[in-house]
Structure formats: C-alpha cells, structure tokens
Amino acid sequence: MSDRRPASGPEERRLSTREAADLLGVKPETVYAYVSRGQLSSRRTEGGRGSTFDATEVETLARRNRRDGGGSSPVPGELSVRTRITLIEDNRFYLRGVDATELAARYSYEEIAEWLWTGELRRGVTFTAPPALAAAARRAVAALPPHAGPADRLRTAAIAAAAADPLRFDLSAQAVLGTARVLIPTLVAALSSGGHGQPDDGPLARRLWTALTARRPDDASVHAVDTALALLVDHDLAASTLAVRVAASARAHPYAAVSAGLGAMEGPLHGAASGLAHRLLLDVLQRGGAAPVIADELRAGRRIPGLGHRLYTAEDPRAHALFRLLEEVPGAAPALAAARDVVETTARHTALHANVDLALAVLTVSAEMPPTAGETLFAVARTAGWIAHVLEEYGERPLRMRPSGQYTGPRPPQEIPAATGVVGEGGRKSPSSNSG
C-alpha cells in the first residue's frame, strides 16, 4: 500500500496503539514513550478510550529503528551507538571497564590516551609536536583577532595542522595513531608563543599550565591539571563526541573529525559551563559568600552552573576526585570553600550535586587562569577520547550515522509558489517581473 496521500481527500491513515506497537516491534507502553519524547504524534479517539497514530510517522520510525540496529536505544527515541570505550553506571565512570577515577590517580593523561587508542598501558609516554607543525599552527592562531575564544584557536590550529599534513587522508589505524600523537601537542603549542619559558616538550600538563597562567608552576598544581585532563578524556556520547563520530562515519580524516567536535563544543550548553562556574566562584569570593550570588542568579532566571548532571544522581565522580586532589594544591583553599558554599546553599531547596565543571572552576580560579581556561582544558583532554571514537567508528559501516528525517511540512503535491521581491543590483530578474 502506498504511503502517499492525495493532495485533497480523506484523512491520513491512522493506526491503533496495538497496530503501531506491532509495526514498531515494541510494547504498547513504549509507543507512548515515543510520544512523550516527540518521536510520534498521537490523537485521542472519539470517546477518549485510546489514541491513534499517523501511519507514515510510525513507518518512518520503524525504518529508522531497523537501520540503527533494531531500536536498541536504552531510551526510546534516542540514538544509540555501540561503543567499547566508556560506561557510566550506578554513579560510576569506567574507561574500557576500568574505574576512570582510579586510572586518573595512577597514570598520566598521555599514558591513558595511548591506552585508549592501543590497549597498551606504557609508562613515560609523552606527546611532542614537530617544530614545523607547531610553528604552522602558531602562525595561523596568531592571525586571529584578540577576542577569539579557545574553540576558535584550537579549531584553527587543527585546520593548520591538517593543511600541513599531506598524509591526512590515510585512515589506517597506524596513520591515525601517528596523527593523534602529534595533533594533541600541536593544539597545546598553538596556545603559546613558543618563547622563553614555554617549551614544546616535557609533560603536556606543564606545557598547558604555562600557556594558561603566568603563575610559576608547582608540582601539585601541574599534577592537578594532568589529573583533570585524564578525568575529562572521554564521557560517553556527549554532543561533541557524537559530532566526531558522524564525521568519522562519513570517513572524514581525523583532523576534520576533531574540528567537528570543537565546533559542537562551542555551544553554550556544552563547552562554556566551566567558564560560567569560574565567574560564579569569582563572584562568591568577591562578595564573601554564595547566598547573595545564588539569589541574583536565580532572580535573573539563570541556572546555577557547575551543579547537576543528567547521567549522575549523586556527585559527579570526576568532581569528587578532582576536589580531593585540589585539597593538596597550594592556594586552592579559598576557591574550594567557595565551591562548597555554592553546593550547600543550593542544597537547601534542591538536591543538586557538584559536577566536573565546578571542580574545574576551582582549579582555574586558584591557578589565576582566565575564565576560558576550563574550556581549553576540556577540549584538549577530550581530543584523545575523540580519536578513540574515530578509530572505533572507522571500523563500522560507512555512513551509518544517517538518521531519517521525520517530515512534518505540507504534504505534496503543492503548487509552485509565486516569486516576490525586488531584483537586487546585478541580480537575476524575478520570473514575475515585466520584461517589457
């Protein structure tokens, strides 16, 4: 039977709840879950004893579920992607089955990154940018206006590095690993001028510290930066990671896939949260307490940054690990106290726990870094995870990240609309204009 309706005529085909469930291969209650998430529309039957569903919508959703692996998403209507990298379960966070907070306490960011990519955990791994690549990235970033943000600088550095690499289209595992090992330090190198006191070798965390603050580095603070990078290396399918996998599904080269992730991170709901938490803590420190600051935020209709996480019902384990480490960092006590004040003040009315953005803000405030430093740390750290997802996605069927659109516009055939408007200078005449 054809799905197409005539331009005028009887109402579209409707299915009962049982018919929709049978077509989708789910239980009737799951059909209503699809409705609640906006994947299907429903209409009450006469008498109000049930609902009917548009047959075309149901058939489109059924085709999408079959293509995405049988509708295996744990939440109806959400895209589900099989991965062996990260598991978040019972308020715990695992990388390839290993507790991520314990891993970050024992190994450096670079060691963990290498392990994510190869399955081999080797001590003493460091990433160094080739001088020519670092110089090319610095020149490109130097051309940006002063107000350019972290995502602008890092994305520009990634593009410059790609342009300088004629082998970027080699998608073999060894080539991608080679790219990863030079791309991450190149991103870090692009954040500094490369002058005195800003080396391009040594521990990556120390290089980042030098790029982000004028304060002299101490071992405890640099260790905190390294641990933060390790804790942020991956976190399931965040928006930026999904963007990376979509690009990799289309077989974009690793530099382009990372650029896609950086682009998604620039959204205010993903990458900017740590900067908002940084400014919040500065305000709390300046005003001597969290209560007036929280009151002003709520009065303005804003959410309190650094609190709550959709994947955890308790405190974000990454925040817990970083808070404990920051207790050993010289000068971090005031920012730590301010963060605890924020959590305790908001807890009077709602059960929100600290997330990693608040812990990251404690680190950046105590280190006298700019508000954007947390976003920079996040992006550099996550690049390793993105590469792990790139490697995983290259092993999947190409272009599998191609969902079906659920068309909700006017049903065809529609008449061709009449053109309107004025012909611009040098433009083409409107078909409706008088040619004389």
Side-chain angles (χ1 to χ4, degrees):
M1 180 184 294
S2 172
D3 293 344
R4 181 174 173 179
R5 278 191 297 151
S8 61
E11 190 176 339
E12 72 272 24
R13 289 189 300 124
R14 309 294 298 178
L15 301 178
S16 68
T17 303
R18 171 53 63 187
E19 290 170 331
D22 289 345
L23 188 56
L24 290 164
V26 299
K27 297 178 180 178
E29 53 265 31
T30 303
V31 176
Y32 290 102
Y34 282 120
V35 174
S36 68
R37 298 193 64 82
Q39 300 302 303
L40 288 176
S41 59
S42 64
R43 184 183 303 165
R44 299 294 292 178
T45 58
E46 292 184 14
R49 291 196 165 189
S51 298
T52 62
F53 305 87
D54 183 286
T56 302
E57 285 186 4
V58 175
E59 289 161 357
T60 299
L61 182 58
R63 285 194 299 271
R64 184 188 310 149
N65 284 351
R66 285 194 294 271
R67 188 176 59 234
D68 291 341
S72 58
S73 171
V75 180
E78 285 194 352
L79 176 65
S80 177
V81 178
R82 292 182 296 273
T83 178
R84 298 173 59 86
I85 300 171
T86 297
L87 172 67
I88 299 171
E89 187 176 72
D90 298 329
N91 291 315
R92 303 285 293 276
F93 165 40
Y94 304 91
L95 292 171
R96 300 204 186 280
V98 179
D99 187 290
T101 60
E102 294 180 11
L103 199 65
R106 299 184 187 186
Y107 295 96
S108 74
Y109 165 71
E110 289 144 295
E111 291 165 348
I112 293 171
E114 188 75 23
W115 173 69
L116 275 184
W117 302 335
T118 67
E120 185 178 354
L121 196 49
R122 294 187 293 116
R123 287 290 191 185
V125 173
T126 57
F127 302 146
T128 303
L133 211 58
R138 284 195 180 106
R139 285 194 300 270
V141 170
L144 294 173
H147 61 266
D152 297 318
R153 294 193 291 272
L154 293 172
R155 195 162 60 248
T156 299
I159 292 169
D165 183 1
L167 304 180
R168 62 188 179 276
F169 296 106
D170 185 348
L171 305 187
S172 65
Q174 284 306 114
V176 174
L177 289 172
T179 295
R181 292 171 184 139
V182 299
L183 174 56
I184 293 175
T186 297
L187 296 179
V188 174
L191 299 171
S192 67
S193 63
H196 178 67
Q198 294 175 319
D200 285 334
D201 55 9
L204 192 80
R206 185 172 290 268
R207 280 176 267 165
L208 255 178
W209 175 279
T210 306
L212 294 173
T213 179
R215 273 190 51 188
R216 186 178 182 84
D218 60 86
D219 290 343
S221 296
V222 172
H223 179 53
V225 169
D226 183 70
T227 303
L229 293 172
L231 291 168
L232 292 166
V233 68
D234 191 59
H235 202 241
D236 198 36
L237 284 183
S240 56
T241 304
L242 181 58
V244 167
R245 292 199 72 131
V246 170
S249 175
R251 297 304 183 257
H253 57 70
Y255 299 97
V258 168
S259 295
L262 291 168
M265 256 199 65
E266 202 163 12
L269 301 182
H270 189 20
S274 61
L276 297 174
H278 179 109
R279 293 181 176 90
L280 179 80
L281 292 187
L282 288 180
D283 203 5
V284 171
L285 289 169
Q286 182 181 3
R287 299 177 67 175
V293 177
I294 299 299
D296 286 350
E297 291 293 307
L298 295 177
R299 184 178 185 181
R302 293 189 290 264
R303 288 186 58 191
I304 308 303
L307 299 178
H309 197 290
R310 65 188 295 266
L311 299 180
Y312 301 111
T313 57
E315 185 176 55
D316 184 335
R318 301 169 298 173
H320 182 74
L322 198 50
F323 280 141
R324 288 181 59 186
L325 192 61
L326 287 165
E327 292 173 356
E328 309 299 324
V329 172
L336 265 173
R340 291 187 178 120
D341 193 7
V342 168
V343 174
E344 291 167 4
T345 300
T346 55
R348 298 173 192 171
H349 300 290
T350 181
L352 287 177
H353 302 276
N355 63 36
V356 75
D357 294 312
L358 190 62
L360 203 55
V362 172
L363 172 60
T364 57
V365 167
S366 60
E368 299 176 15
M369 295 177 180
T372 57
E375 184 178 348
T376 302
L377 290 168
F378 188 104
V380 170
R382 193 55 58 87
T383 300
W386 290 338
I387 294 293
H389 282 273
V390 164
L391 286 163
E392 198 170 63
E393 190 59 39
Y394 284 164
E396 298 285 352
R397 174 172 54 83
L399 290 175
R400 72 188 184 114
M401 298 288 188
R402 175 62 171 86
S404 295
Q406 184 174 317
Y407 179 72
T408 59
R411 294 295 303 174
Q414 298 287 321
E415 291 186 5
I416 296 176
T420 60
V422 179
V423 177
E425 184 177 341
R428 180 184 294 179
K429 284 186 178 181
S430 167
S432 61
S433 63
N434 187 350
S435 60

